[in-house]
Amino acid sequence: MPRPRVHDLDDALDAAERLAVEGGPSAVTLRAVAAATEMSNGAIYHAFGSRGGLVGRAWLRAAHRFLDLQQESVEDALGRGPVDAVVAAADTPAVFAERFPQSSRLLLTVRRDELLGSEIPDDVATELSRLDSVLVELFVRLALALWGRRDGRAVEVIEACVVGLPTGLLLHAQRKPDDAMRRRLEAAVRAVLTLDPPPPGKRHDKTTKGSR
């Protein structure tokens, strides 16, 4: 069987995204993707190996798009200062929704564990774990740029700015982020960053008097 062309694979990933967003995780089947793309079941199976491989690759493509865009935005903003870089990272969901609306809806409205289930190919699972690490590394990098710290409490403040505030101000609005929403987000991030994070937590001493 000839290997599917690259644009056919993108068509299959586009269809998987659309089916997941419009019909939920259970709507994504090899048969449904084949019907949406006019690819054969065999061609899709040959390309992705299983439903888990298909939805895993769809999720990875969307996640790569988001993280690449976020990294690019942070790099561009760092020259203006670390606070601007955090603002740029926080604004990425809004930019992402404009540039890749279907991928944005996939990441923001469909739970990853429900979409992927338990039958995730090893290579997809490895790549998902690596992408999770990339996001944490970004938090650490921004904390170091702002405060010269990489401890958990400093990183938690960055996470609140980059994940928590956008989720509350942009994503829960259930509509496309507009300029006013994005300005409120920027103001909130800048307000949070006017305060230094709490001092690093001390290691809890579990030693009791009776054990000394």
Side-chain angles (χ1 to χ4, degrees), residues 50-66:
S50 65
R51 178 193 178 277
L54 171 62
V55 295
R57 288 296 162 191
W59 187 276
L60 283 172
R61 185 184 66 165
H64 274 294
R65 285 173 169 175
F66 178 84

Side-chain angles (χ1 to χ4, degrees), residues 169-186:
L169 294 177
L170 298 182
L171 308 182
H172 285 170
Q174 298 296 316
R175 58 188 174 89
K176 183 179 178 181
D178 56 26
D179 288 342
M181 295 166 65
R182 294 170 72 175
R183 287 195 299 271
R184 284 194 290 272
L185 173 62
E186 178 178 355

Side-chain angles (χ1 to χ4, degrees), residues 83 146-147 157 161 186-197:
V83 172
L146 275 165
W147 306 298
V157 174
C161 290
E186 178 178 355
V189 171
R190 291 186 183 278
V192 169
L193 297 180
T194 59
L195 299 176
D196 288 339

Side-chain angles (χ1 to χ4, degrees), residues 49-112:
S50 65
R51 178 193 178 277
L54 171 62
V55 295
R57 288 296 162 191
W59 187 276
L60 283 172
R61 185 184 66 165
H64 274 294
R65 285 173 169 175
F66 178 84
L67 291 174
D68 288 348
L69 181 60
Q70 190 170 60
Q71 294 283 355
E72 178 184 337
S73 298
V74 168
E75 290 295 336
D76 289 344
L78 273 172
R80 302 191 298 273
V83 172
D84 282 349
V86 179
V87 170
D91 189 55
T92 301
V95 180
F96 185 58
E98 292 179 348
R99 194 170 300 182
F100 300 105
Q102 198 73 20
S103 292
S104 174
R105 292 179 65 194
L106 177 71
L107 294 185
L108 302 178
T109 65
V110 180
R111 288 178 57 90
R112 187 173 83 177

